[in-house]
Every structure is written in C-alpha cells, then in structure tokens.
Amino acid sequence: MSLWATCKVTSTGPAEDGNIYIGLRSLDVNPPFTNWFKAVEGERKEMLATALTAISTGNNVTTLLTDSKPYSIINRLYIHEN
C-alpha cells in the first residue's frame, strides 16, 4: 500500500540506529494519523533538511508513505506553501 498525504511536520531528528525519524500529522487523510515515520535509506539527509525547513517555516509537506502505521517508510517528502 502507498499513501499520498498532506501533513504537518511535528518533529524530526536522527537516532542512534542511523535512521532519520520524522513526526507527521495528516491533514487530508481519513482517518487522520499522527505518527513517527522513517526516511527512506539513501535520502535521509535530504528528508531531514526538508523536514527541518517545514518546521522552521511552518509550511506543510506532501508525503508518499508506505503506510500510515507508525515507523512506516517515507519515500517522498515535498515542502510547499500553505
């Protein structure tokens, strides 16, 4: 299952296991979710930069997730104006 969603980034950062974790709250998915997700391997630094920019600017992101369950993978992360 793949899921496109517009989200608010609630938190982000690296962990000791080498993963980048990004907290997302969905804005256009029913039922809504608020979960931690993992950035896809190979794009971790870029997704961390995008998530930090979204937090600092207050902009939303569009994401492609493998699932809405906690710790699923973020395959795409695009920031956009609200």
Side-chain angles (χ1 to χ4, degrees):
M1 172 181 143
S2 291
L3 171 69
W4 283 100
T6 300
C7 298
K8 186 65 135 179
V9 178
T10 58
S11 50
T12 190
E16 67 282 351
D17 63 3
N19 285 308
I20 298 296
Y21 291 94
I22 301 173
L24 299 173
R25 183 178 71 240
S26 65
L27 302 174
D28 64 351
V29 175
N30 197 6
F33 59 82
T34 301
N35 292 323
W36 281 100
F37 296 89
K38 295 193 306 187
V40 68
E41 191 173 339
E43 300 296 327
R44 290 178 178 156
K45 290 180 183 178
E46 293 82 357
M47 286 193 186
L48 176 60
T50 302
L52 289 170
T53 301
I55 289 172
S56 66
T57 62
N59 288 359
N60 295 331
V61 293
T62 298
T63 63
L64 177 61
L65 307 169
T66 57
D67 203 316
S68 62
K69 295 177 183 172
Y71 303 104
S72 296
I73 303 296
I74 303 171
N75 285 313
R76 303 245 166 61
L77 186 69
Y78 304 112
I79 190 170
H80 54 83
E81 290 185 25
N82 296 341

